[in-house]
Amino acid sequence: MDFQKLAELYQELEKTSSGNKMREILSIFLKKVPEEDIAVISYLTLGQIASEYEGVVLGIAEKSALKAVAKASGIDEAKVKKTMQETGDAGLTAEKLLQKKPQTLVPMGKLTVKELFEKLHKITRTTGAGSQEEKINILVNLLQKSSPKGAKYIIRIALGTLRMGAGDMTVLDALAIAYTGDKKNKEQLERAYNICPDVGIIAETLAKKGLKGIEKIDVHVGRPIKMMLAQRVDSLEKVHEKIPGKLAVEAKYDGERMQVHKTKDGITIFSRRMENITEQYPDVLKYLQEHVSGKDYVIEGEIVAIDKDGKPLHFQILMQRKRKTDIEEYVKKVPVQLKLFDLLYYNGKSFLHESYEKRTEQLAKIVTKGKHITLADRVVTDDLGQVDQFFQKMLKEKQEGIMIKAMNSEYQAGTRGWNWIKWKKEYATEMTDTFDLVIVGAFYGKGKRSGTYGALLCACYNDHNDTFETITKLGTGLTDEILAELPKKLQKYQVGHKPARVVVSEIKPEVWFEPTVVVEVLAAEITKSPSHALGLALRFPRFMKLRDDKKAEQATTSKEIQQMYRKSGK
Ligand code: AMP
């Protein structure tokens, strides 16, 4: 397919500010895409050139992109820089300047989607001496083969700033409509996507083999599985309504979730966002090699920072391990312990449909415990008194709370169901609760906060409509350190208009962001409010921490907050 067609689609998508309209436009377009291009177009529309878990990085800096624009347009670099300052966007700069390119510079040939994709991958493989120059040259060639409009999107894709407003769920919706004629079938696509979170594979399987092919998608060791999540209750007594009989009660550690895949080629560690974080944890890799047996497996656990005596330390300390440099130094500075709690695959067999009891039995068989790797602390009981005792013990040990799991439940990939229930100390202390919310906008700061933001506008995720609904303005609890960090962190996601999937009500921000950054917010209460899209608002919201381990779609859902509001009896 001609890349120009895709550029025209992007231009249309860019103009829409409604999620539904975006899905409609996308599905009409996808219907016309040839089978062999469907995977590529699905990735590109998400602003990616591979599935997220593959961790493919283009490594093009804005400066290099502008150099490429200068070369492709025949306009000197100073002029390009000036246009960049005027437009504030490298994509627009490319579009504007390439319209002016002299006819002598127009090469023959048209750019296809396939060629663009292959060349972008070539850029990722270009390393070593002289690689920057070579990357720029590949980009120049792509820009010269495309129209000025196409150039705008090529530059944005190369810089990772495409921001079409579409998320994975938007693409799955559009695929369901395009290929099955019925939006309802998205559920089936979503089920497959939970086991195989790769939009390209889902799109291609659907296009080539239909829903029958989708049904057959199974665990593939080395490719992450979306993690199972927990519901919350407002009183411990409610647990038995949801899980009758025996309860497996585990400590809820305040660390980072890990999903470990072992194949004959080695071990890969994925984060909750399904990023490959193996390189950050060479120590954990060694513990896994020494303490876990099996030809191939997929296991899960929580990694926590520990002190010299093996006692757990705060989440923020562990976050120092999230780095690309000085890794060995931090292995020593911040030692960790892996608490394993699940097994999803073992020696050629998927355990997803086995019970929790069977999965953890198998896990116990393959792990030999050590100081840095062990099974999660656990009691099995049907007595809520004992559950509370264990909870109090965990709080004393400085854990976050407990996880209560149904013994006979299967692993529900990507699902926040009632087979796992979390019980944290915030729930036990009166009205307070924490929420993971997505920053969708901000208000400029005044006085002490001038130069940064005075408050953020935050939203929860409506997983039914695939939208982000505002629920609170957030100003309290933002420390000077965070305030200094925020503009840098958010700038990448700033857009000049309301992103299509964001829904607001009376309160609208001064700056918009593509929903990406998640924050944890503590609040005293949920109240009715016309000011926010959800129709509810948080009272006394307080910023707790950045949740870099969560993606926007992993935020607290609108449904959860509505349930909490109803339960509070208002
Ligand atoms: P939340 O982020 O509050 O929805 O809680 C779910 C998270 O708790 C998981 O993603 C894990 O990172 C973490 N966690 C800590 N201990 C456990 C455990 N024993 N079982 C499952 N998840 C756990």
Side-chain angles (χ1 to χ4, degrees), residues 455-486:
L456 305 168
L457 185 62
C458 301
C460 48
Y461 180 55
N462 182 325
D463 58 348
H464 185 258
N465 299 342
D466 184 27
T467 53
F468 294 90
E469 298 174 316
T470 56
I471 180 179
T472 196
K473 220 172 141 173
L474 179 68
T476 311
L478 297 163
T479 59
D480 291 348
E481 214 182 336
I482 291 288
L483 281 169
E485 189 183 341
L486 278 175

Side-chain angles (χ1 to χ4, degrees), residues 183-432:
K183 197 179 151 183
K184 268 210 212 111
N185 288 321
K186 181 200 167 196
E187 274 171 38
Q188 227 167 308
L189 297 191
E190 214 179 318
R191 226 173 298 138
Y193 186 70
N194 284 335
I195 301 173
C196 166
D198 186 322
V199 173
I201 297 180
I202 301 283
E204 196 170 305
T205 308
L206 185 65
K208 290 189 173 159
K209 298 182 186 153
L211 284 173
K212 282 232 158 62
I214 292 289
E215 253 169 52
K216 292 203 184 101
I217 287 179
D218 206 351
V219 178
H220 176 82
V221 188
R223 181 177 70 202
I225 299 163
K226 273 203 169 185
M227 298 184 190
M228 180 169 174
L229 299 168
Q231 278 281 8
R232 57 173 112 196
V233 281
D234 55 3
S235 79
L236 257 191
E237 286 68 42
K238 301 258 172 77
V239 168
H240 271 320
E241 283 172 24
K242 303 293 180 189
I243 310 178
K246 279 233 177 323
L247 311 166
V249 189
E250 295 173 358
K252 185 176 194 301
Y253 302 102
D254 193 11
E256 183 177 15
R257 178 102 165 244
M258 279 187 169
Q259 192 178 80
V260 182
H261 289 239
K262 183 184 175 197
T263 67
K264 63 175 177 4
D265 301 322
I267 292 176
T268 314
I269 306 174
F270 292 107
S271 72
R272 171 136 171 207
R273 301 183 63 139
M274 294 178 298
E275 285 161 341
N276 184 336
I277 50 168
T278 319
E279 281 181 10
Q280 281 168 33
Y281 292 105
D283 44 347
V284 178
L285 211 57
K286 197 170 92 215
Y287 309 142
L288 287 160
Q289 277 154 357
E290 288 166 2
H291 290 269
V292 186
S293 62
K295 182 165 63 62
D296 50 14
Y297 60 70
V298 181
I299 55 176
E300 273 188 14
E302 187 90 349
I303 189 88
V304 273
I306 51 168
D307 65 13
K308 281 196 289 314
D309 307 318
K311 297 243 165 56
L313 296 170
H314 200 264
F315 176 77
Q316 296 300 358
I317 296 181
L318 178 75
M319 283 302 106
Q320 295 179 36
R321 293 289 303 265
K322 278 210 155 306
R323 59 194 317 117
K324 293 202 168 80
T325 55
D326 307 325
I327 288 175
E328 283 304 334
E329 184 189 333
Y330 277 82
V331 163
K332 289 194 197 97
K333 263 195 189 161
V334 184
V336 292
Q337 182 181 47
L338 179 58
K339 299 276 196 177
L340 291 163
F341 54 72
D342 220 319
L343 174 141
L344 319 188
Y345 191 96
Y346 178 68
N347 280 3
K349 181 173 173 285
S350 166
F351 273 66
L352 286 188
H353 302 297
E354 299 289 351
S355 68
Y356 165 90
E357 195 169 9
K358 272 231 169 102
R359 300 199 308 276
T360 46
E361 244 172 49
Q362 184 61 44
L363 179 67
K365 277 187 205 156
I366 64 170
V367 178
T368 49
K369 295 176 199 163
K371 181 178 172 197
H372 294 281
I373 193 163
T374 180
L375 299 176
D377 297 281
R378 175 174 97 166
V379 289
V380 176
T381 176
D382 54 7
D383 172 10
L384 287 182
Q386 271 191 36
V387 174
D388 190 47
Q389 251 176 29
F390 184 73
F391 174 63
Q392 299 301 340
K393 186 169 162 239
M394 288 306 117
L395 292 192
K396 258 197 210 118
E397 288 180 15
K398 300 260 181 317
Q399 315 296 4
E400 203 181 18
I402 52 174
M403 279 289 213
I404 306 166
K405 300 181 177 178
M407 293 290 275
N408 58 3
S409 72
E410 50 179 53
Y411 188 93
Q412 295 168 300
T415 306
R416 192 182 284 288
W418 288 107
N419 285 321
W420 284 14
I421 295 174
K422 55 185 173 183
W423 180 244
K424 300 205 280 195
K425 62 176 176 292
E426 290 91 349
Y427 310 167
T429 52
E430 309 216 347
M431 305 289 276
T432 56

